[in-house]
Amino acid sequence: MAMGLDGSPLLTQDSVCRRPSRHSTEEIVIGAPPCVAGPAHVCSSRLGRCVSNLVLAVLGAGQLVLPYALSQLGLGFGIAALLLFALLSIHSCYTLSIYELHFMPQPLDCIESYAELVVRALGNFGKHVCTALLVLYAWGGALSFMVILKGELEWLTGVSGGVCLVVVAALFILPLSSCEDLSALKTTSPLGCIAGLFITAVVLMSTRWNGEAPLGAEVCQGPRGGDHQDAGESLRWWPDSLASVAAALPLLSFALNSTWAYVPILCTLKDRTPTRYSGLICSSTGIIVVNYWLISVYGYAMFCGATKPNILDSLGSEATPGTGVAQLVYCARVALATQLSLALPMRFFIARRSLDCGVTSLAGRLSLSVGLVGSATGLAILPLSLATVLGIVSSLCASMIIYILPALVDLSLQLPDPLLPGRMRQAVSV
């Protein structure tokens, strides 16, 4: 199973290219061979392990923009929007659970990927949509994180970030992206979660705590031991304009991308009853939201309107050299640059495998990889805003993957709900 940048399992070529032509739901359930996996992973994990795997799959570099999102949305509106997107993500995962168990009711039967579930429900339409979304999501996500990597490399080396990025892309990312198999890189997927949690810890340790309301910390004063110039700013609770709302909301959606990772993790859960998979969804989402709340609220509270799209840029520019905060920021940036460098080849590998559908020669793999890596690198060295790139990727792909496709699956089949009364689930899907 291929893993995405933040550890999320993504659709591979086999999932895209092997699906049959359109079937009715009845034909799929009765006639299609079940996805029976060996006892190594199907129904092999306890609830706690599945919760930790889902959290591991979601947390990562996407949280860097959350403090900036709150600076655009305001503290009150931003927190409300974060909770709303979390509830919608819970609804999507819950809906996918119902259809997973509908198509594969036997204990050792399971659907291994999000895309396979969508294809079973929506037929060829689902196949084409998933293929297009995967290429755009994998390539666009890689572009977003190349923009981050460019900034981290420039800050760490003092050399032009564009030059550093071109060198890393040519000598490391491109050769790995052209490989026939990247399974060895799956072992690096936990680095995204580790880096994400460490960055949140750095933000909290940099905060000027004072125990006073409303947040228990000094606001708009920069990091502890820093030289932030007080411009008389204060926390904003509401957005200034509809334009800032439209620009910032997709950043929250991108960060809450648990839907794509959820289906293969559900496959490993022991006793997949409605109560247990509901516990998996709510527990993991709760942990993710708490982490996001901490980094977004206290990252924004430190810098207020001066918050940059990458919170590490804000911390790095204002932490006094030689202080503990500066050393923590340096360690966080090293960890982030390392994690992104290892994860980017997997992004391009997934995009290439989705496009080739049978191309196995080295020349074919290399030509596709050159096109994908070269185009992303060329755009990343331009002065593009991270918030803009992530916003476009989220608007085009993440929202479809996380919210719209699960709702289409639900509305097309309309199965009864094992827990909720009446048609409450379908009403939320609408």
Side-chain angles (χ1 to χ4, degrees):
M1 184 188 305
M3 304 295 289
L5 178 63
D6 296 323
S8 306
L10 294 174
L11 180 61
T12 60
Q13 178 205 25
D14 294 337
S15 301
V16 175
C17 300
R18 71 180 180 178
R19 290 287 107 203
S21 60
R22 179 176 305 180
H23 294 284
S24 68
T25 302
E26 199 171 46
E27 287 173 324
I28 290 173
V29 174
I30 296 173
C35 181
V36 180
H41 70 281
V42 175
C43 302
S44 63
S45 299
R46 296 182 182 275
L47 180 59
R49 182 176 180 83
C50 289
V51 169
S52 65
N53 285 339
L54 190 53
V55 171
L56 183 72
V58 175
L59 293 185
Q63 70 182 32
L64 295 172
V65 298
L66 295 181
Y68 173 79
L70 250 64
S71 75
Q72 301 300 300
L73 297 171
L75 192 59
F77 187 86
I79 291 173
L82 179 64
L83 293 176
L84 175 61
F85 278 113
L87 290 174
L88 290 175
S89 180
I90 288 173
H91 169 264
S92 294
C93 290
Y94 178 74
T95 299
L96 293 175
S97 302
I98 292 171
Y99 289 93
E100 160 87 15
L101 296 182
H102 167 70
F103 288 126
M104 294 291 173
Q106 299 304 316
L108 291 182
D109 293 352
C110 89
I111 294 176
E112 297 269 6
S113 74
Y114 171 92
E116 185 179 351
L117 178 57
V118 172
V119 170
R120 283 177 174 269
L122 301 180
N124 269 342
F125 169 77
K127 172 186 174 180
H128 298 318
V129 168
C130 279
T131 303
L133 282 176
L134 177 64
V135 174
L136 289 174
Y137 187 59
W139 182 86
L143 170 61
S144 302
F145 293 113
M146 275 187 153
V147 172
I148 299 175
L149 181 60
K150 178 184 70 172
E152 301 310 310
L153 292 174
E154 181 167 342
W155 191 89
L156 291 169
T157 65
V159 180
S160 167
V163 172
C164 292
L165 184 63
V166 169
V167 171
V168 172
L171 300 182
F172 184 75
I173 297 174
L174 177 60
L176 286 179
S177 303
S178 306
C179 291
E180 192 167 3
D181 178 54
L182 280 185
S183 57
L185 282 183
K186 293 182 199 175
T187 57
T188 67
S189 61
L191 288 176
C193 181
I194 294 170
L197 292 174
F198 182 59
I199 291 168
T200 300
V202 170
V203 168
L204 296 179
M205 287 187 283
S206 303
T207 298
R208 299 172 183 256
W209 299 101
N210 63 7
E212 296 179 4
L215 299 176
E218 297 179 20
V219 298
C220 308
Q221 299 300 312
R224 182 166 48 85
D227 326 339
H228 185 73
Q229 299 296 319
D230 188 357
E233 292 182 283
S234 60
L235 292 175
R236 285 193 301 106
W237 291 88
W238 308 105
D240 286 336
S241 65
L242 288 176
S244 61
V245 174
L249 285 181
L251 304 179
L252 302 181
S253 173
F254 187 90
L256 287 162
N257 61 348
S258 57
T259 307
W260 196 262
Y262 175 70
V263 172
I265 291 174
L266 174 63
C267 181
T268 69
L269 178 65
K270 285 183 178 178
D271 303 323
R272 288 172 286 172
T273 63
T275 302
R276 284 177 63 78
Y277 63 65
S278 298
L280 165 61
I281 297 166
C282 293
S283 299
S284 57
T285 304
I287 295 170
I288 293 163
V289 168
V290 167
N291 179 73
Y292 285 174
W293 186 88
L294 290 171
I295 190 173
S296 58
V297 168
Y298 288 101
Y300 165 56
M302 257 192 288
F303 300 100
C304 294
T307 307
K308 298 178 180 180
N310 181 346
I311 188 59
L312 290 180
D313 287 338
S314 297
L315 286 170
S317 63
E318 301 209 15
T320 303
T323 62
V325 170
Q327 293 171 357
L328 286 171
V329 172
Y330 181 84
C331 292
R333 302 192 91 147
V334 170
L336 180 62
T338 302
Q339 185 261 328
L340 291 175
S341 299
L342 291 171
L344 277 166
M346 185 63 78
R347 281 273 176 176
F348 290 115
F349 174 82
I350 291 164
R352 193 204 84 218
R353 287 289 301 272
S354 303
L355 288 172
D356 64 27
C357 284
V359 175
T360 58
S361 66
L362 176 60
R365 298 197 310 268
L366 186 59
S367 61
L368 282 173
S369 296
V370 167
L372 292 167
V373 177
S375 58
T377 304
L379 288 173
I381 62 177
L382 299 176
L384 297 176
S385 165
L386 172 61
T388 300
V389 176
L390 278 178
I392 293 172
V393 173
S394 177
S395 299
L396 293 177
C397 303
S399 297
M400 280 287 293
I401 292 168
I402 302 168
Y403 311 115
I404 297 174
L405 279 180
L408 288 177
V409 169
D410 197 21
L411 294 174
S412 66
L413 300 184
Q414 299 191 18
L415 294 180
D417 196 291
L419 295 178
L420 300 178
R423 293 189 173 273
M424 183 182 298
R425 191 186 74 249
Q426 280 88 2
V428 175
S429 294
V430 172

